[in-house]
Amino acid sequence: MNKIILIGNLTKDPENATTQSGVNFTRFQIAVNRPFTNSAGERVADYFDVITWRQLADRCAKYLFKGSKVGINGSVQRRQYEDRDGIKRTSFDVVADEVEFLTPKSTTGANGNRADHEPPPISDMQPVDNDDLPF
C-alpha cells in the first residue's frame, strides 16, 4: 500500500505546466512541521514536493499561493533523472489525489488568488440545545 497524508504550507507559489501530450500539471512544495522541537528548542519542518494533474492541477494553480495551508492525500512516487552534469539523481514526489484548501478565503496571496473555502462568521452561528442532538 502506498498512501500518504500531509498537512502543511506552500513554500512558494505553485508552478503550472503542460506535458508534451497536452496534460496539465501543477507542482508545489509544502513544509510540514514536526510535532516536536530539536535540541535547541527550534521547530523543525520536513519539505515535500507535490504534483497534481488535470482539473486538480487547474484548481491548485488558481487558488493556492505561497503560505497556503493544504491537506494532501496521495501516494509517493520515485523519479530518476540525470542532472546537467550527467549525474543520475533520484527524487521522491507526492502525487496528490486530493488537495483540501485549508486557508480561509479572506486570506489573499501575493498573486491575488484566494482559497475557495471560508468558514461562516461566528455571528451567523445559532446556539444548539443539547436536547435536540441525536446522540
Side-chain angles (χ1 to χ4, degrees), residues 23-34:
V23 179
N24 193 30
F25 67 96
T26 299
R27 288 185 173 279
F28 54 91
Q29 185 179 71
I30 63 171
V32 178
N33 287 326
R34 292 185 181 178

Side-chain angles (χ1 to χ4, degrees), residues 2-5 49 72-77 93-97:
N2 182 354
K3 292 297 263 182
I4 188 167
I5 299 171
D49 294 320
I72 305 289
N73 183 2
S75 59
V76 178
Q77 182 177 37
D93 296 323
V94 174
V95 179
D97 298 323

Side-chain angles (χ1 to χ4, degrees), residues 67-135:
S68 293
K69 182 177 276 300
V70 293
I72 305 289
N73 183 2
S75 59
V76 178
Q77 182 177 37
R78 185 176 122 190
R79 183 169 46 102
Q80 293 183 310
Y81 63 96
E82 280 190 27
D83 67 12
R84 296 178 203 198
D85 299 326
I87 300 170
K88 289 188 178 187
R89 303 279 185 187
T90 300
S91 69
F92 292 89
D93 296 323
V94 174
V95 179
D97 298 323
E98 298 174 83
V99 176
E100 184 78 25
F101 302 157
L102 302 175
T103 300
K105 192 175 191 178
S106 60
T107 305
T108 304
N111 60 5
N113 290 343
R114 303 188 320 167
D116 72 346
H117 181 280
E118 182 174 336
I122 292 177
S123 62
D124 291 350
M125 294 183 182
Q126 301 296 324
V128 176
D129 185 356
N130 286 344
D131 295 334
D132 293 337
L133 296 174
F135 49 88

Side-chain angles (χ1 to χ4, degrees), residues 30-34 36 43-48:
I30 63 171
V32 178
N33 287 326
R34 292 185 181 178
F36 53 85
R43 288 293 260 184
V44 178
D46 293 302
Y47 297 87
F48 295 89

